[in-house]
Structures are given as C-alpha cells and as structure tokens.
Amino acid sequence: QVQLVESGGGSVQAGGSLRLFCAASGLTFSAYSMAWFRQPPGKERERVAHISRDGSTVYADSVQGRFTISRDNAEHTLSLQMNSLKPEDTATYYCAARVPWSAEVNFWGQGTQVTVSS
C-alpha cells in the first residue's frame, strides 16, 4: 500500500521559514517524479514545485527564489524548504507522486497545514 505522509507544517509569521517533509512508502520512490501542491482556503489546488527523477526542478513563479524542493531517494523522502514566507503562502500543502509517463498524479498525501500571519 502506497503512503505519502507529510509533516512539518505549522504557523509562522511573515518572513519566517518552514521545512516540509514527505515520507514515502510502498512504492519505488526513485522511479517517480515528485511534487508539492498547495490549496489555499477557497481556491483550487496548484502545483508549487516539481522534482524529476534526475533531480531537475521546476517552481511556480510565486515561489521561485523562496522555496527549494529536494529529494532523498535512499531515504524515500521529499522536502520543501520555504523561506521568506508570505501570508499568501497560507494553504494546505500536499505531497504528490507521479510516474513520468502519466499526465495525472498517481498518489497524494493527506496534506499539512501552513499558516503565515502578517
């Protein structure tokens, strides 16, 4: 059974930092492209950052230069370092796994809440 379990969310003031973690099990982690998505209150889910199997990364314009996605294939973990946080970063953050040849996310985590106060 595939599980993606996020942790590291919380409340922080604007300008602060948080690091999110996603622990993956039940899948061949290195074979999957991984991503972080977020869903702000009342809005649609959006992709924040993506990391491919070879480690190449893509970021949403809104987080470029502030967030860093990384993966550890040996430990089956995905991370998101978030710096210079803004109130508009407030959202539920989700870890996602996708086989490279699929247009759809194959597995989702349950989400972790990030709240940034001004």
Side-chain angles (χ1 to χ4, degrees):
Q1 180 181 359
V2 175
Q3 283 192 311
L4 301 176
V5 181
E6 299 97 335
S7 61
S11 297
V12 65
Q13 289 193 328
S17 297
L18 283 174
R19 189 176 181 93
L20 304 183
F21 296 92
C22 172
S25 60
L27 77 169
T28 304
F29 184 75
S30 60
Y32 285 78
S33 296
M34 301 297 296
W36 288 98
F37 286 74
R38 68 184 180 188
Q39 186 165 18
K43 297 185 179 180
E44 293 189 353
R45 192 176 299 189
E46 62 177 353
R47 195 179 74 175
V48 172
H50 171 271
I51 186 166
S52 63
R53 293 182 298 174
D54 66 3
S56 58
T57 58
V58 178
Y59 296 93
D61 289 344
S62 58
V63 306
Q64 180 75 49
R66 299 189 296 122
F67 290 11
T68 303
I69 188 172
S70 60
R71 64 189 298 164
D72 185 329
N73 288 337
E75 296 294 327
H76 291 198
T77 57
L78 179 73
S79 299
L80 185 69
Q81 177 66 42
M82 305 186 295
N83 298 328
S84 303
L85 283 161
K86 304 175 181 180
E88 52 264 43
D89 294 319
T90 295
T92 302
Y93 283 72
Y94 298 89
C95 172
R98 178 180 63 83
V99 292
W101 55 88
S102 172
E104 302 288 334
V105 170
N106 301 106
F107 304 105
W108 292 96
Q110 84 288 350
T112 186
Q113 179 66 36
V114 171
T115 302
V116 184
S117 58
S118 57

